[in-house]
Structures are given as C-alpha cells and as structure tokens.
C-alpha cells in the first residue's frame, strides 16, 4: 500500500508526510525493509517544491525506551527529537528543530 501511495503525484508546495508509531516491530524483516525503502525512495524524489517528511515513534534497539525521530527532505536531514517512556510516563526532549542560527 505505502509504495503505491508514495508514487502518486504530489502537489507543489505541500509537504508529504509519512508518520508511524509502534508498527515496525510487528512487520516481518522483508516487509520492514520494503517500508523503509519506499520512504527513502520518496525522500530521494523530494525537491524544494515537493518536500517530504518521515516521522516515527519506535523502540530503540535495546528496547529500553521509545525514540521520536524526524527526517526531512530534500536535504535528508535527520533529528532525534526525544526519547520517551512507551506510555508517556516521561519524555526527554533532545532535538532542536529551530534550524541554523
């Protein structure tokens, strides 16, 4: 479903966003890789008139906490915004989206 949606024409001046939360862990390795590949391909097609953003809230590798991430294209810049308790008991904001000074 996702690759087909991301291949549709995108209106100029509108940021296309893919957001997922606590889903990757449920996908088999092959499907997880296909999702990530589709997102990265969409990012690779982004330009100044057709920006793309990828937001995610997923477990970190050791499964001690969740990580809130954002990646923006056309630059492909990635930022870890926060680490969090999986049910919101605490949030440690780490990212800065203010951009260059």
């Amino acid at each position: 479903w996702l690759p087909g949606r991301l291949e549709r024409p995108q209106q100029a001046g509108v940021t296309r966003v893919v957001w997922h939360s606590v889903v990757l862990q449920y996908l088999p390795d092959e499907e997880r890789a296909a999702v990530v590949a589709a997102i990265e391909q969409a990012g690779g097609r982004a330009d100044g008139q057709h920006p793309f953003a990828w937001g995610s809230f997923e477990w970190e590798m050791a499964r001690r906490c969740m990580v809130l991430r954002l990646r923006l294209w056309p630059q492909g810049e990635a930022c870890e915004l926060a680490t969090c308790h999986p049910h919101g008991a605490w949030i440690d904001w780490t990212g800065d989206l203010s951009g260059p000074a």
Side-chain angles (χ1 to χ4, degrees), residues 7-42:
E7 290 171 3
R8 289 183 176 184
Q10 178 178 344
Q11 184 178 347
V14 175
T15 301
R16 178 171 282 170
V17 177
V18 169
W19 165 258
H20 56 85
S21 175
V22 196
V23 69
L24 293 181
Q25 68 183 350
Y26 296 108
L27 301 177
D29 291 343
E30 186 176 299
E31 287 183 36
R32 186 178 317 116
V35 166
V36 172
I39 292 169
E40 290 180 346
Q41 288 170 4

Side-chain angles (χ1 to χ4, degrees), residues 18-93:
V18 169
W19 165 258
H20 56 85
S21 175
V22 196
V23 69
L24 293 181
Q25 68 183 350
Y26 296 108
L27 301 177
D29 291 343
E30 186 176 299
E31 287 183 36
R32 186 178 317 116
V35 166
V36 172
I39 292 169
E40 290 180 346
Q41 288 170 4
R45 292 189 297 268
D47 61 33
Q49 288 297 310
H50 304 91
F52 182 71
W54 176 15
S56 65
F57 184 64
E58 300 287 343
W59 284 106
E60 51 93 30
M61 292 300 289
R63 293 184 63 90
R64 292 178 303 226
C65 64
M66 305 296 287
V67 181
L68 178 63
R69 292 185 175 96
L70 179 63
R71 189 166 176 192
L72 303 170
W73 281 274
Q75 297 83 2
E77 297 171 354
C79 181
E80 183 175 295
L81 299 174
T83 54
C84 316
H85 179 275
H87 299 288
W90 56 266
I91 298 173
D92 181 16
W93 290 100

